[in-house]
Amino acid sequence: MADLLVDGAAKHEILSFMDGHSGYNQIFIAKEDVHKTAFKCTGSIGTFDHVVMPFGLKNAEATYQRAMSAIFHDMIGRNLEVYIDHVVIKSESRLGHLDDLRSSFKRMWWHQLKMNPKTCAFVVSAGNFLGFLVHQRGIEIDKNKAKAIIDAPLPKKQEMCAKFIGPN
């Protein structure tokens, strides 16, 4: 799935990248299910309930993706790609990009979806999306990630055997 989104974001002249701000905490839990999230803190009196989706729930990622897909259903594939809390707005031209940004922001405002301003990059020709450098010419691997793999020391035979067999 992620590879299709990266492919969909590539080969566009202008891009904008955004990440959700405390993404999971933007999804409210249905009132009839709030009691299922009860927890007790050591030293406190009583129990507490989550009213928003906490990080760490088994289906939190899928629930967040489903919400984002519902919010942007008619924009996905056309001028926007979204993977969980990562959003890229893509356009063929600078003028069209401003219209795409405007419609995306209106949708975010309507659904009270908040983005992290510290991780946003607007109206750029290239950027990082899901670990790949995406630009008009296509896709490249992030050089920092490739360098980390290339520069990693080779395992020593004795250390490797000890991991699998155990100490002598």
Side-chain angles (χ1 to χ4, degrees):
M1 163 119 176
D3 56 336
L4 295 174
L5 299 176
V6 173
D7 287 343
K11 299 187 178 175
H12 285 82
E13 184 179 341
I14 302 295
L15 303 160
S16 288
F17 300 90
M18 295 178 271
D19 289 324
H21 181 69
S22 299
Y24 294 170
N25 294 328
Q26 295 186 52
I27 307 293
F28 286 92
I29 295 176
K31 288 183 182 181
E32 63 272 12
D33 294 329
V34 166
H35 72 279
K36 297 174 186 174
T37 68
F39 64 95
K40 184 176 181 178
C41 293
T42 308
S44 64
I45 300 170
T47 59
F48 302 91
D49 298 328
H50 286 283
V51 293
V52 294
M53 185 170 60
F55 183 78
L57 290 180
K58 184 164 183 75
N59 292 326
E61 190 174 288
T63 301
Y64 193 87
Q65 180 66 45
R66 191 169 41 252
M68 295 294 277
S69 294
I71 290 169
F72 297 112
H73 65 94
D74 58 331
M75 302 168 111
I76 293 173
R78 185 172 49 88
N79 62 344
L80 182 141
E81 300 293 347
V82 61
Y83 183 74
I84 307 174
D85 65 341
H86 304 287
V87 178
V88 61
I89 299 167
K90 56 188 187 173
S91 305
E92 298 295 333
S93 69
R94 187 172 293 274
L95 185 60
H97 194 67
L98 295 178
D99 292 334
D100 293 338
L101 279 172
R102 185 176 294 111
S103 62
S104 301
F105 286 145
K106 282 181 181 179
R107 188 74 55 92
M108 289 176 206
W109 177 81
W110 177 257
H111 291 278
Q112 298 178 356
L113 188 62
K114 296 165 187 71
M115 295 291 141
N116 185 351
K118 293 179 182 177
T119 60
C120 293
F122 296 106
V123 193
V124 295
S125 58
N128 193 313
F129 184 55
L130 304 179
F132 293 91
L133 181 62
V134 180
H135 47 73
Q136 189 175 12
R137 294 182 313 277
I139 303 164
E140 293 179 29
I141 295 173
D142 185 344
K143 292 194 183 345
N144 292 331
K145 291 184 179 190
K147 183 174 177 10
I149 293 169
I150 291 168
D151 293 346
L154 292 173
K156 295 186 173 125
K157 191 172 184 176
Q158 287 179 330
E159 291 175 8
M160 201 165 161
C161 290
K163 285 181 184 178
F164 293 108
I165 300 170
N168 291 340

